[in-house]
Amino acid sequence: MGSEDDGDGDDDDDDGDQHEDSGASSYDSPLTKLFHAMGRDREMNVPLLKVGGRLAAFVPVREGECLEDCLPNVEARRMAGLVMEGEGKEQVLSDILSRWLVCFVCVGEEDG
């Protein structure tokens, strides 16, 4: 039997293995996947952002988590050439969920 697309937009490869072409695993957040893609673009000399450009994102944080744990890891940020600007701003959504507005700035090769 052939496999069918269930229409949810993912590749249904949820085994947690690293995808060789992306450097991101299937359980990474969308923001982390974006950072990995931005890193690949930088390696090919076609960066998404110019130096000094900014990327703003909402990051969901559940009760018991801290913002830093929900952000892409330091290596992903370095590869994308992004550093977090400021501390972010929290918006409480419920007793157990907040979202943080964070801003990253694109830095030069030497700084990233």
Side-chain angles (χ1 to χ4, degrees):
M1 286 189 166
S3 75
E4 294 183 23
D5 181 8
D6 60 8
D8 65 0
D10 65 12
D11 62 8
D12 292 329
D13 182 22
D14 293 330
D15 58 5
D17 291 338
Q18 292 281 327
H19 296 283
E20 286 186 35
D21 62 334
S22 71
S25 61
S26 61
Y27 53 83
D28 283 336
S29 72
L31 187 59
T32 297
K33 290 178 182 181
L34 175 62
F35 276 42
H36 285 287
M38 290 177 72
R40 286 191 311 276
D41 289 348
R42 280 174 47 114
E43 288 174 356
M44 295 185 300
N45 292 319
V46 288
L48 179 65
L49 294 174
K50 293 180 180 178
V51 172
R54 286 173 169 70
L55 172 72
F58 280 113
V59 178
V61 179
R62 294 183 197 100
E63 182 179 35
E65 295 178 328
C66 68
L67 175 61
E68 187 65 31
D69 294 338
C70 298
L71 295 173
N73 65 35
V74 173
E75 180 63 16
R77 290 185 237 174
R78 187 190 67 74
M79 293 298 294
L82 298 172
V83 294
M84 192 166 147
E85 183 176 58
E87 297 177 0
K89 178 74 175 164
E90 181 181 21
Q91 180 183 17
V92 177
L93 300 175
S94 72
D95 290 341
I96 60 169
L97 182 66
S98 293
R99 67 179 180 181
W100 285 77
L101 177 61
V102 295
C103 184
F104 296 91
V105 83
C106 183
V107 296
E109 288 289 329
E110 301 81 31
D111 300 327

